[in-house]
Amino acid sequence: MQKIKSLMARQGLKSPQESMTDLSPVENLRIPSKEELRELREQPIDPQAEQEIIDSIEEVYYSNDSFDMVQHELEKLPPELNLQELEEHRDKLKRQQAAVSISLSLSLCLPVVFMQLSVSKEGFTEASLGLLSNQRRRQLLTGLLKSLRTIKTLVKNLLSEEDYPGAIQLCLECQKAASTFKHYSCISELNSKLQDTLEQIEEQLDVALSKTCKHFDVSHYTKVQLAYTLLGKTQTAMDQLHMHFTQAIHNTVFQVVLGYVELCAGNADTKFQKMQYKDLCTHITVDSYIPCLSDLCKALWEVMLSYHRTMQWHEEHDQHETTPTTDGAAAAESDESVVDRSYVKKKLEHGLTRIWQDVQLKVKAYILGTDMSNFKYDDFIVVLDVISRLMQVGEEFCGSKSEVLQESIKRQSVNYFKNYHRARLEELRMFLENETWELCPVKSNFNIAQLHEFKFMGQCRSPSISPSRQAGSSTGPAQGELSLFQQYLQEGNPFEMHAEQKEEETEDVLASNGYESDELEKSVYQDYDSDSDVPEELKQDYVDEQTGDAPLKSASRETIRSKKKSDYNLNKTNAPILTNTTLNVIRLVGKYMQMMNILKPIAFDVIHCVSQLFDYYLYAVYTFFGRNDMYESSGLGLISSRLRTTLNRIQESLIDMNAPVHSAAEDRKEKVPSPHLSQLVVLTNSGTLYGLAQRVVATESLVFLAEQFESLQSHLDTMMPAAKKPFLQQFYSQTVSTASELRKPIYWIVAAKAIDYEQMLLLMAGVKWDIREIMSQHNVYVDVLLQDVSRHVRIPAAGVHVLWEHCIRLANRTLVEGYANVKKCSNEGRALMQLDFQQFLMKLEKLTDLRPIPDKEFVETYIKAYYLTENDMEQFIKNHREYSMKQLANLVNVCLGSHINKKARQKLLAAIDDIDRPKR
């Protein structure tokens, strides 16, 4: 610039500032022509290049005013001229001349421009200049808008492909590039638009995050988390995620229930969508309750599974990122990442309990929204099974005991079970009063595990909770067993199998027509035709030695063959003895245990009801077949004090003795009227041995039922709360164990009436006992008694000992009574009595394996008492109260004259009278 000023001074020109001062008037100044100005505008001006050209001018050109530039250039020419070099030098001089001319022109034009600007300011409005500024800005913004549209299109394409990290990365790079020119206002506009775009992306990112709550996809979730990481909002993302899970649970359950309510309501004009969820649950119908519950749990499972997979993703992601760094910046970034990971981990762990609590509250509202007291049993079991499976999910999800669910289902279960049990007791009474006590033909290998109701005891009950877990497992799946989240991680749902489960079960416990094969049916007649188990001498008719008549004949083959086939089953097969009512009670117990097995908190209520079923069955069997006044006076002690206590307890706690037979069950609360034996059952017919078959079936079915209860004791014990276990132990020790004791009073009446003991006494009365020689042949009455016993005691092995015991005891008492009726007896006659009794015992031992023979000493002692002296006889009378006064008095009277005188006789009779006096 100094060189330009020097050149201007040599040519007599002034500087722009001087020119502005001396300029007056304007017309005297030469203004460049339009062509010159246009040429200047059209020529591109590079200030730096122009300056370099000017600097290349030799200093000599600025030396003095008389400098001859032409001469100087000619002198510089070489001796030998080169045309190309001359042209290049010429072009260089032209460029130097042009640069100087432009600089001079600018120096001359600036005063004019400043003058024109001053004039323009006065001649034009500022608005006109504003238009020029706006036009320039418009051009800039047009370019900026084009750039924004390009960026927006790219972002839109990336978002459509769910490439959220790519879209955010693009915006961040644009912001970074624009930050270099942030002092320009248009760049500020660009940054504002980019920030708006990021906010829009974040909104879409939040929507994408919410989608993972129902259907988790690893790829999708990875993109979302990377996008939030780029935004630096990892913790915010986790807060939003939990909010979305909470909202997802609410929306899911509401939509499921709403769908069923609207479907069942049809075209009813009800504003269901505006209802609260709790109120909406009360509009679920009974028919749609289970399908809706199943769908509800399926939907909630998907939400919890998504949360579970979310946690899995973060655990795996954290493992890959925990690598040490040495770089300073990287270390700082790593520290921030560690903080984020720690926050996310704690948030997710805390969220487990929160999510499960939300699930419990929603399901609780659904459970309590409907009265389930009138549900069918199978439907209620399905409800319990679904809730049980849901509680298993909760245990595996967060280790929760699901107290909220347990309390709500317990309330419904207690209410349902109370009504259900009351109805079942009434049903049992109806069964018992219509029971004809005939054998229910089941297969010989029958056991309760074959029944549908007890299937749960022999399997893991997928998709239900296993009994072992119900019994108190709190550590999740057993070792080696996959958890539900492992089983259904990729596909399937643990709540899908309930509908098909029941149809798959089959049951085959009944024998065909009471027999398991044709060969077995044929063997009935073969076995009944065969008398191989009866001594040969007892098959023969006999003739009374005194009358010559044949008073009794052995039963004919036709009579034996005509007996019911069920008698064969009682005697010859190993099939359990039970009735239809017994089978129904067993099934009912299985149903009760199913309910208890699924819901342990009501175990005591269920077991108490199970005990009432057994109590009522036992009481009915005793009332129908065991209550009789005959044995009360027999002195045999047929009913133990324990059994009598049990019967009294049942009558006081369970039997409503004053209620009308047909009164409503609700009016009686927990008590049931005493049952009445069906009129079809006749117990007074001697031809049927006073209902022996019915008595056997009733008694042995009760014993079989008790055996089944015994087999279930360990399972019931695991279910029973510790504080209530004494009740269970008392039930087994004082009730179940007394079932077999009912055999004595029930079979005694048959033994007492089926054999003609009076005829035996008449036969014994016709025997002469005052003989004078020892007899080697026993009397005929012994054969008659044995023959009568062997004819009528074909009973099942389970009760054979009891009935034999009764028959033998009564027979022995008949013998003693017969011996007590003897008026005269010699020593030889007493020896004959011993011979007769020994013959009776010998033959009896062939008929029964009962050992020892009951009351054997009762007869032998009485016979041997004939030989006692006076003093020994007196002591005998005092010590043997089991004999009647008549029997003792006869013993004294028969001995008179042989070894007891009249005085001793009076003394002994007085002793007998003293014993009898307190009884009167």
Side-chain angles (χ1 to χ4, degrees):
M1 186 56 69
Q2 287 297 117
K3 293 180 180 180
I4 296 297
K5 289 181 179 180
S6 175
L7 185 61
M8 291 175 64
R10 284 171 51 199
Q11 295 180 359
L13 299 176
K14 296 181 179 181
S15 67
Q17 290 80 1
E18 294 172 342
S19 299
M20 290 292 293
T21 304
D22 299 339
L23 187 60
S24 179
V26 176
E27 287 79 8
N28 296 332
L29 179 65
R30 178 182 176 275
I31 300 175
S33 66
K34 291 181 179 181
E35 289 74 12
E36 292 175 333
L37 291 174
R38 184 183 300 109
E39 184 178 354
L40 288 174
R41 284 196 304 268
E42 290 176 354
Q43 289 179 357
I45 298 175
D46 186 348
Q48 185 176 357
E50 293 293 330
Q51 185 61 41
E52 291 176 355
I53 294 173
I54 291 175
D55 291 341
S56 68
I57 299 174
E58 298 178 29
E59 290 294 332
V60 69
Y61 283 93
Y62 305 103
S63 59
N64 50 56
D65 296 339
S66 61
F67 176 69
D68 188 353
M69 292 179 288
V70 177
Q71 184 63 33
H72 175 71
E73 290 297 330
L74 290 175
E75 290 176 354
K76 289 170 55 178
L77 294 175
E80 295 181 4
L81 298 178
N82 187 307
L83 180 60
Q84 183 176 357
E85 290 178 354
L86 288 175
E87 289 179 352
E88 290 178 355
H89 187 66
R90 183 195 62 187
D91 293 338
K92 178 180 178 181
L93 292 175
K94 283 186 177 181
R95 286 195 298 273
Q96 291 176 348
Q97 182 183 12
V100 172
S101 299
I102 290 172
S103 297
L104 292 175
S105 297
L106 288 174
S107 299
L108 294 174
C109 290
L110 281 176
V112 178
V113 171
F114 288 145
M115 175 59 74
Q116 286 183 345
L117 285 174
S118 178
V119 174
S120 297
K121 185 174 182 180
E122 295 175 359
F124 299 98
T125 63
E126 293 182 358
S128 298
L129 296 175
L131 290 175
L132 296 175
S133 175
N134 288 340
Q135 178 64 22
R136 176 62 176 168
R137 185 173 181 178
R138 180 181 179 184
Q139 291 176 350
L140 293 174
L141 290 177
T142 299
L144 180 61
L145 182 60
K146 184 177 180 181
S147 299
L148 286 175
R149 284 175 178 171
T150 302
I151 294 172
K152 186 175 182 180
T153 301
L154 290 173
V155 169
K156 185 176 181 180
N157 291 337
L158 291 171
L159 291 178
S160 65
E161 297 172 0
E162 295 186 348
D163 186 3
Y164 306 106
I168 293 173
Q169 188 70 37
L170 176 61
C171 293
L172 293 178
E173 289 178 357
C174 290
Q175 281 187 330
K176 184 178 180 180
S179 64
T180 308
F181 306 98
K182 60 184 178 180
H183 54 282
Y184 295 106
S185 59
C186 61
I187 297 301
S188 299
E189 293 273 354
L190 175 62
N191 281 330
S192 176
K193 293 294 183 181
L194 288 173
Q195 189 62 37
D196 291 342
T197 303
L198 282 174
E199 291 176 359
Q200 292 175 5
I201 294 174
E202 193 171 346
E203 290 177 2
Q204 293 191 36
L205 196 58
D206 190 57
V207 175
L209 183 65
S210 68
K211 291 180 180 179
T212 65
C213 296
K214 291 185 178 180
H215 302 288
F216 184 88
D217 179 81
V218 174
S219 175
H220 178 80
Y221 188 74
T222 303
K223 293 178 181 178
V224 172
Q225 282 298 320
L226 180 57
Y228 274 110
T229 302
L230 291 173
L231 291 174
K233 295 185 176 182
T234 302
Q235 297 184 15
T236 303
M238 194 50 53
D239 295 336
Q240 288 293 107
L241 181 63
H242 282 79
M243 183 189 71
H244 288 313
F245 268 107
T246 301
Q247 192 65 32
I249 292 173
H250 174 76
N251 293 341
T252 296
V253 297
F254 187 86
Q255 290 302 322
V256 170
V257 176
L258 177 64
Y260 276 92
V261 170
E262 291 181 338
L263 179 65
C264 297
N267 296 325
D269 186 16
T270 308
K271 306 295 184 180
F272 293 119
Q273 293 187 355
K274 296 182 180 180
M275 284 186 176
Q276 293 293 323
Y277 170 74
K278 186 176 181 180
D279 297 329
L280 193 64
C281 291
T282 62
H283 289 78
I284 291 290
T285 63
V286 174
D287 293 336
S288 63
Y289 188 89
I290 292 178
C292 182
L293 176 63
S294 180
D295 286 348
L296 196 66
C297 291
K298 288 179 185 177
L300 289 172
W301 162 260
E302 294 297 337
V303 175
M304 288 185 286
L305 179 62
S306 294
Y307 195 90
H308 176 79
R309 296 187 66 186
T310 300
M311 291 193 68
Q312 272 191 336
W313 185 93
H314 282 279
E315 289 172 0
E316 296 171 359
H317 188 70
D318 290 348
Q319 291 176 358
H320 290 111
E321 289 193 353
T322 53
T323 53
T325 56
T326 56
D327 183 73
E333 184 178 352
S334 177
D335 292 341
E336 183 179 354
S337 177
V338 169
V339 172
D340 286 342
R341 286 200 300 271
S342 177
Y343 179 85
V344 169
K345 183 179 179 180
K346 291 180 179 179
K347 190 76 175 179
L348 286 171
E349 290 175 350
H350 176 73
L352 284 171
T353 305
R354 178 182 170 185
I355 295 295
W356 178 240
Q357 187 70 8
D358 288 344
V359 170
Q360 286 192 90
L361 292 174
K362 297 301 181 183
V363 178
K364 174 187 176 182
Y366 183 84
I367 292 174
L368 299 180
T370 301
D371 181 9
M372 290 188 273
S373 60
N374 294 318
F375 271 35
K376 294 179 181 178
Y377 171 81
D378 289 338
D379 290 343
F380 190 74
I381 285 296
V382 170
V383 173
L384 291 184
D385 208 25
V386 171
I387 299 302
S388 176
R389 174 51 62 94
L390 186 61
M391 288 191 286
Q392 182 185 357
V393 170
E395 183 179 347
E396 295 181 4
F397 185 68
C398 62
S400 171
K401 295 296 183 182
S402 305
E403 289 84 359
V404 174
L405 281 180
Q406 287 200 35
E407 181 59 30
S408 58
I409 199 64
K410 180 180 179 181
R411 284 172 55 184
Q412 285 284 28
S413 297
V414 170
N415 183 41
Y416 173 82
F417 196 73
K418 187 183 299 182
N419 292 333
Y420 181 79
H421 179 60
R422 185 185 298 121
R424 298 294 75 76
L425 279 177
E426 288 295 321
E427 187 179 86
L428 177 57
R429 179 170 72 93
M430 180 189 70
F431 272 113
L432 289 169
E433 292 184 342
N434 289 277
E435 180 63 67
T436 57
W437 302 101
E438 293 183 357
L439 190 65
C440 177
V442 294
K443 293 188 173 182
S444 59
N445 63 346
F446 169 76
N447 63 79
I448 60 175
Q450 297 168 351
L451 300 176
H452 292 323
E453 292 77 7
F454 290 90
K455 293 292 185 183
F456 72 92
M457 295 181 63
Q459 57 189 22
C460 295
R461 300 191 69 245
S462 178
S464 305
I465 290 184
S466 63
S468 60
R469 180 168 300 143
Q470 282 293 333
S473 172
S474 59
T475 57
Q479 186 175 4
E481 178 185 350
L482 293 177
S483 71
L484 295 177
F485 288 97
Q486 291 172 325
Q487 293 179 47
Y488 303 100
L489 184 63
Q490 299 299 333
E491 60 181 357
N493 194 296
F495 298 96
E496 289 177 345
M497 298 174 63
H498 290 87
E500 303 84 11
Q501 183 178 342
K502 298 295 181 182
E503 285 88 23
E504 296 177 358
E505 298 177 356
T506 58
E507 184 179 272
D508 183 21
V509 297
L510 297 179
S512 176
N513 297 324
Y515 299 92
E516 297 187 30
S517 68
D518 294 337
E519 289 73 14
L520 184 59
E521 185 172 2
K522 292 176 182 178
S523 67
V524 172
Y525 300 103
Q526 295 173 358
D527 287 339
Y528 267 110
D529 287 348
S530 174
D531 295 331
S532 59
D533 57 343
V534 181
E536 188 65 29
E537 57 192 280
L538 297 181
K539 301 176 188 176
Q540 301 174 357
D541 295 341
Y542 73 92
V543 179
D544 191 311
E545 294 180 351
Q546 293 183 342
T547 63
D549 296 332
L552 290 174
K553 298 178 70 68
S554 28
S556 66
R557 293 173 182 260
E558 289 75 13
T559 302
I560 296 177
R561 189 179 292 116
S562 64
K563 293 177 72 69
K564 290 184 179 180
K565 295 179 180 179
S566 60
D567 289 345
Y568 173 81
N569 286 342
L570 293 177
N571 295 297
K572 298 298 182 181
T573 70
N574 295 322
I577 299 176
L578 67 159
T579 66
N580 286 326
T581 303
T582 317
L583 200 56
N584 285 328
V585 171
I586 293 174
R587 290 185 186 277
L588 198 54
V589 171
K591 290 181 178 180
Y592 281 24
M593 291 182 63
Q594 269 188 325
M595 194 178 303
M596 173 184 62
N597 197 67
I598 295 174
L599 194 62
K600 189 177 179 181
I602 67 168
F604 172 71
D605 303 274
V606 176
I607 293 177
H608 180 262
C609 293
V610 167
S611 70
Q612 288 187 335
L613 294 176
F614 187 86
D615 286 349
Y616 196 69
Y617 193 95
L618 182 147
Y619 186 84
V621 171
Y622 166 75
T623 303
F624 293 166
F625 302 101
R627 180 178 287 173
N628 195 288
D629 295 333
M630 288 183 61
Y631 59 71
E632 296 292 344
S633 59
S634 67
L636 297 177
L638 299 177
I639 296 183
S640 66
S641 59
R642 184 178 63 162
L643 176 57
R644 193 175 298 280
T645 301
T646 297
L647 292 171
N648 291 337
R649 176 190 60 78
I650 295 173
Q651 183 169 309
E652 291 174 3
S653 63
L654 186 60
I655 307 302
D656 190 350
M657 303 300 294
N658 301 319
V661 177
H662 300 292
S663 61
E666 294 77 9
D667 300 335
R668 295 190 299 271
K669 296 184 179 179
E670 295 185 359
K671 290 194 173 185
V672 191
S674 180
H676 298 277
L677 183 63
S678 171
Q679 295 180 354
L680 298 176
V681 180
V682 180
L683 303 178
T684 57
N685 188 350
S686 61
T688 61
L689 293 179
Y690 303 93
L692 175 60
Q694 288 84 354
R695 292 175 187 274
V696 169
V697 171
T699 307
E700 301 309 320
S701 67
L702 174 64
V703 174
F704 177 78
L705 185 61
E707 291 171 352
Q708 307 317 302
F709 269 77
E710 292 283 358
S711 68
L712 297 172
Q713 183 176 4
S714 60
H715 186 84
L716 294 176
D717 188 67
T718 59
M719 295 290 103
M720 183 68 98
K724 301 292 184 179
K725 286 189 177 183
F727 168 82
L728 184 65
Q729 296 169 356
Q730 185 178 15
F731 168 66
Y732 272 93
S733 63
Q734 297 185 9
T735 304
V736 176
S737 61
T738 61
S740 59
E741 296 182 14
L742 277 179
R743 285 174 175 151
K744 287 188 175 182
I746 292 176
Y747 290 158
W748 184 89
I749 194 66
V750 176
K753 290 186 175 183
I755 299 176
D756 193 349
Y757 299 101
E758 293 296 328
Q759 184 185 13
M760 299 305 106
L761 292 175
L762 291 175
L763 290 173
M764 293 178 70
V767 177
K768 293 181 179 181
W769 301 103
D770 54 349
I771 57 177
R772 295 303 175 187
E773 59 181 8
I774 301 295
M775 301 293 292
S776 61
Q777 177 65 35
H778 65 277
N779 287 298
V780 176
Y781 75 88
V782 177
D783 292 334
V784 175
L785 181 59
L786 290 169
Q787 191 178 35
D788 209 15
V789 169
S790 66
R791 180 184 302 156
H792 294 302
V793 292
R794 296 183 64 84
I795 61 173
V800 67
H801 284 180
V802 175
L803 193 51
W804 267 113
E805 180 183 353
H806 286 328
C807 290
I808 295 171
R809 285 183 184 278
L810 289 170
N812 285 336
R813 276 165 168 70
T814 301
L815 288 173
V816 171
E817 187 66 20
Y819 295 150
N821 290 333
V822 175
K823 302 300 182 182
K824 296 180 181 181
C825 182
S826 61
N827 289 336
E828 293 78 8
R830 196 61 77 173
L832 179 59
M833 290 181 184
Q834 288 183 329
L835 176 64
D836 290 345
F837 186 61
Q838 292 302 319
Q839 180 68 16
F840 175 76
L841 292 177
M842 182 180 66
K843 299 294 180 67
L844 193 61
E845 289 174 351
K846 293 181 180 181
L847 292 176
T848 176
D849 58 354
L850 182 63
R851 301 292 185 276
I853 299 297
D855 285 352
K856 174 182 176 183
E857 295 79 8
F858 182 78
V859 180
E860 290 179 338
T861 302
Y862 187 81
I863 296 174
K864 293 176 181 179
Y866 176 82
Y867 302 104
L868 297 176
T869 62
E870 176 184 344
N871 293 334
D872 292 337
M873 180 70 74
E874 183 177 2
Q875 193 64 35
F876 177 87
I877 292 172
K878 292 179 180 179
N879 294 338
H880 292 273
R881 302 293 181 88
E882 66 269 22
Y883 299 107
S884 67
M885 299 300 105
K886 172 191 172 184
Q887 293 167 350
L888 293 174
N890 178 266
L891 187 61
V892 173
N893 290 328
V894 169
C895 293
L896 179 64
S898 60
H899 55 278
I900 294 179
N901 56 33
K902 290 184 178 181
K903 184 178 180 181
R905 172 178 174 272
Q906 293 298 327
K907 180 182 177 182
L908 293 174
L909 291 177
I912 295 173
D913 188 63
D914 291 340
I915 295 173
D916 186 52
R917 187 175 293 113
K919 299 179 181 179
R920 290 178 288 186

